[in-house]
């Protein structure tokens, strides 16, 4: 055998946009963001989001919503009636282009939520190309099998015509409106070879950023920059709801370091629009430990997500099919996120993918209660210690390889890390220590 077969090769073959190396993503729910629920009204928030530290604005679907079999009064964004149209609730195509330009002018990027797996029942494609849809045993349109998505019907990706149409529609928004990529709904339900070709075609236009709503390493090879860290969210559920300590988090972090592709981005989050089901909202989910979960998601390997209203202390799950306006207010979440995002941008240990530092576990004498780790890249160093319990702890850390003078991100005080370091932590307390 030639020696080349034994040479390790990077699993991720695509090139991430350079601007994504230390980026933060923010999910935008246009309908609920303002009383008007329009692009123009949302644009007034752009300076605030820039100040927060958001880099990539992910807009939930902006297309017209189907009326046939719709759920609720306003329907789901994910029941698309026209892939080339703009939802008139939000404004016009000119309004959308103006918003994209404003986002770009402020040094941020915008990705669209794309629904390739299914359409609304009254999308014109149902009459123009009924063969592009899967069917029931008696030949009728059907929702995606086994799900209660009764307001949509399922596409059939064995049809080349559908693949061509959908790819051209995806290209359209990059070419016509200059969007910077997509968040692809239920991406794993659509064949990977379709997505890999989409990525090739989009890259012929401009560098793009692609997020898959899925958790699978194979999507990272040639198609997607980032997938969801669902298993992290479930580990947090295990910790907070089942009160099983940090064992599930350790399992997640161990697999992240040892089994996930080195240059694959993972989206880390405490909430997003469809993963807020424990007790109905992030405050019921996390209680007094919410900020500890936020710190974790912003310092481990991955790109942190903020969902509309989280920075303002949103205390409920937003309604999906009705108007349910976010109540904006000053909140401590904003300051915590700002500090964490400022650190992520300047300290390369926290950068994304190949640019960031590996997570190295720091052993401590409260292993069921305290999570502690170290990251380093090109001389930038970060130590994170989080008390994931409702008990005070005097924790002793084995910090022999990580000695030096660090700055506490939140107190801004210097802390000297010795070979053995002891820290006092209150319930749900945390320390983020950085050398710059």
């Amino acid at each position: 055998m030639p020696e080349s077969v034994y040479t390790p090769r990077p699993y991720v073959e695509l090139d991430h946009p350079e601007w994504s190396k230390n980026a933060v993503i923010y999910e935008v729910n246009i309908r609920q963001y303002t009383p008007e629920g329009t692009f123009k009204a949302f644009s007034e928030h752009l300076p605030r989001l820039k100040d927060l530290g958001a880099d990539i604005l992910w807009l939930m679907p902006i297309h017209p919503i189907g009326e046939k079999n719709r759920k609720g009064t306003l329907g789901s964004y994910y029941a698309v009636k026209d892939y080339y149209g703009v939802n008139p609730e939000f404004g016009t195509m000119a309004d959308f282009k103006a918003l994209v330009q404003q986002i770009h002018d402020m040094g941020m990027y915008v990705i669209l939520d794309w629904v390739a797996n299914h359409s609304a029942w009254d999308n014109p494609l149902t009459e123009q190309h009924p063969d592009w849809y899967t069917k029931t045993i008696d030949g009728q349109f059907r929702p995606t099998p086994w799900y209660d998505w009764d307001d949509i019907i399922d596409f059939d990706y064995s049809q080349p015509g559908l693949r061509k149409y959908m790819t051209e529609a995806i290209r359209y928004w990059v070419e016509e409106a200059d969007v910077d990529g997509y968040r692809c709904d239920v991406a794993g339900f659509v064949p990977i070879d379709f997505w890999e070709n989409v990525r090739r075609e989009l890259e012929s236009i401009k560098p793009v950023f692609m997020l898959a709503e899925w958790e699978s390493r194979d999507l990272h090879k040639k198609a997607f920059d980032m997938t969801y860290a669902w298993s992290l969210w479930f580990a947090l559920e295990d910790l907070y709801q089942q009160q099983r300590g940090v064992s599930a988090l350790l399992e997640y972090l161990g697999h992240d370091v040892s089994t996930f592709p080195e240059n694959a981005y993972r989206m880390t989050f405490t909430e997003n629009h469809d993963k807020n089901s424990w007790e109905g909202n992030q405050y019921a989910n996390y209680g007094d430990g919410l900020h500890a979960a936020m710190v974790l998601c912003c310092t481990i390997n991955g790109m942190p997500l903020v969902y509309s209203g989280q920075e303002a202390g949103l205390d409920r799950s937003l309604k999906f099919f009705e108007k349910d306006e976010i109540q904006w207010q000053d909140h401590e979440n904003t300051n915590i996120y700002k500090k964490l995002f400022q650190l992520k941008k300047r300290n390369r240990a926290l950068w994304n993918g190949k640019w960031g530092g590996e997570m190295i576990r720091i052993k401590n004498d409260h292993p069921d209660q305290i999570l502690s780790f170290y990251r380093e890249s090109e001389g930038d160093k970060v130590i994170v210690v989080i008390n994931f319990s409702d008990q005070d702890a005097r924790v002793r850390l084995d910090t022999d390889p990580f000695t030096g003078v660090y700055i506490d991100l939140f107190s801004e005080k210097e802390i000297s890390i010795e070979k053995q370091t002891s820290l006092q932590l209150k319930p749900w307390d945390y320390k983020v220590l950085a050398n710059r």
Side-chain angles (χ1 to χ4, degrees):
M1 296 292 289
E3 287 299 315
S4 60
V5 302
Y6 304 111
T7 303
R9 293 179 177 84
Y11 183 82
V12 176
E13 297 182 8
L14 56 80
D15 293 320
H16 303 299
E18 194 275 340
W19 47 260
S20 71
K21 65 187 178 185
N22 56 359
V24 168
I25 189 167
Y26 185 100
E27 184 183 8
V28 179
N29 187 328
I30 293 289
R31 175 186 288 167
Q32 315 298 18
Y33 220 89
T34 62
E36 301 86 352
T38 63
F39 298 131
K40 287 183 177 179
F42 166 68
S43 69
E44 298 298 317
H45 286 259
L46 292 179
R48 180 181 62 78
L49 293 177
K50 178 69 175 180
D51 184 62
L52 179 69
D55 302 289
I56 302 172
L57 302 185
W58 146 29
L59 305 188
M60 292 173 70
I62 66 164
H63 306 297
I65 295 170
E67 298 176 14
K68 183 177 180 180
N69 296 331
R70 75 163 36 176
K71 292 185 176 183
T73 304
L74 299 177
S76 167
Y77 303 125
Y78 296 89
V80 176
K81 189 175 182 179
D82 177 9
Y83 285 96
Y84 285 87
V86 171
N87 187 340
E89 295 177 51
F90 301 160
T92 65
M93 182 62 160
D95 294 334
F96 176 67
K97 287 183 178 181
L99 176 62
V100 173
Q101 187 61 56
Q102 284 179 273
I103 292 170
H104 287 167
D105 288 345
M106 297 182 70
M108 296 185 288
Y109 300 85
V110 57
I111 64 174
L112 285 185
D113 210 326
W114 194 262
V115 190
N117 177 67
H118 50 261
S119 81
W121 286 81
D122 47 357
N123 189 304
L125 296 176
T126 59
E127 296 183 0
Q128 298 166 0
H129 298 282
D131 55 313
W132 289 358
Y133 291 86
T134 66
K135 305 294 194 304
T136 62
I137 196 168
D138 57 352
Q140 304 300 311
F141 292 130
R142 65 176 184 177
T144 300
W146 295 87
Y147 285 83
D148 63 350
W149 303 341
D150 299 332
D151 56 341
I152 58 88
I153 48 177
D154 195 57
F155 279 127
D156 179 3
Y157 273 83
S158 70
Q159 301 296 321
L162 169 63
R163 289 181 175 228
K164 183 174 185 291
Y165 168 87
M166 194 63 70
T167 303
E168 290 175 347
I170 292 170
R171 288 179 60 107
Y172 171 82
W173 292 93
V174 177
E175 294 173 322
E176 184 68 20
D178 199 25
V179 302
D180 301 296
Y182 292 93
R183 177 267 190 187
C184 299
D185 188 58
V186 291
F189 285 7
V190 177
I192 293 175
D193 64 324
F194 168 78
W195 292 125
E196 290 179 348
N197 181 67
V198 164
R199 180 67 182 242
R200 282 192 296 269
E201 295 205 22
L202 292 181
E203 291 286 354
S204 71
I205 305 169
K206 62 184 282 190
V208 292
F209 186 85
M210 299 290 285
L211 163 63
E213 189 207 14
W214 210 249
E215 186 172 28
S216 176
R217 60 180 294 152
D218 52 359
L219 291 173
H220 286 278
K221 192 174 187 68
K222 298 180 180 180
F224 289 95
D225 299 276
M226 186 160 73
T227 56
Y228 276 51
W230 288 125
S231 50
L232 171 63
W233 190 88
F234 285 115
L236 288 169
E237 179 186 32
D238 189 70
L239 190 157
Y240 283 90
Q241 299 300 301
Q242 305 303 321
Q243 298 182 352
R244 293 175 180 163
V246 301
S247 59
L249 288 180
L250 295 175
E251 182 80 5
Y252 169 84
L253 297 172
H255 278 268
D256 183 85
V257 169
S258 299
T259 71
F260 218 73
E262 180 183 7
N263 195 28
Y265 294 5
R266 309 185 80 172
M267 189 172 75
T268 56
F269 54 95
T270 61
E271 294 290 339
N272 79 107
H273 68 262
D274 62 355
K275 216 52 173 174
N276 46 19
S277 58
W278 303 345
E279 298 292 342
N281 65 71
Q282 62 175 330
Y283 283 92
N285 293 349
Y286 296 98
D288 294 334
L290 172 62
H291 295 157
M294 288 165 49
V295 168
L296 178 75
C297 289
C298 292
T299 55
I300 61 174
N301 179 45
M303 183 186 297
L305 165 74
V306 180
Y307 175 57
S308 295
Q310 277 190 276
E311 72 274 34
L314 182 68
D315 61 356
R316 69 185 190 284
S317 300
L318 294 172
K319 295 178 181 177
F320 211 74
F321 312 114
E322 310 289 345
K323 181 69 174 176
D324 187 15
E325 182 188 340
I326 297 168
Q327 303 302 309
W328 294 104
Q329 60 180 342
D330 293 333
H331 196 274
E332 61 184 337
N333 285 6
T334 295
N335 293 328
I336 292 172
Y337 274 132
K338 284 176 67 173
K339 283 184 174 290
L340 288 165
F341 297 160
Q342 288 167 1
L343 178 64
K344 184 178 181 71
K345 287 173 172 51
R346 71 175 182 263
N347 191 302
R348 287 166 291 190
L350 300 185
W351 285 11
N352 302 318
K354 65 183 180 183
W355 289 289
E358 178 184 330
M359 296 177 295
I360 299 173
R361 185 179 181 183
I362 298 176
K363 293 184 178 180
N364 66 69
D365 62 346
H366 288 65
D368 295 330
Q369 181 181 359
I370 307 294
L371 180 68
S372 48
F373 62 91
Y374 171 87
R375 299 182 69 186
E376 178 178 352
S377 179
E378 298 189 32
D380 289 350
K381 304 174 184 180
V382 172
I383 291 175
V384 179
V385 185
I386 305 174
N387 182 4
F388 280 110
S389 79
D390 58 2
Q391 302 294 316
D392 287 301
R394 181 72 178 176
V395 60
R396 187 174 69 253
L397 304 165
D398 183 6
T399 45
D400 189 6
F402 318 121
T403 58
V405 176
Y406 293 76
I407 304 296
D408 185 319
L409 178 66
F410 295 99
S411 72
E412 300 182 356
K413 295 179 179 178
E414 282 192 357
I415 293 183
S416 181
I417 299 298
E418 310 293 342
K419 291 183 178 181
Q420 295 286 329
T421 302
S422 293
L423 296 174
Q424 183 69 41
L425 296 174
K426 299 175 182 177
W428 307 110
D429 201 1
Y430 43 84
K431 298 289 184 184
V432 179
L433 313 177
N435 68 337
R436 79 178 190 96

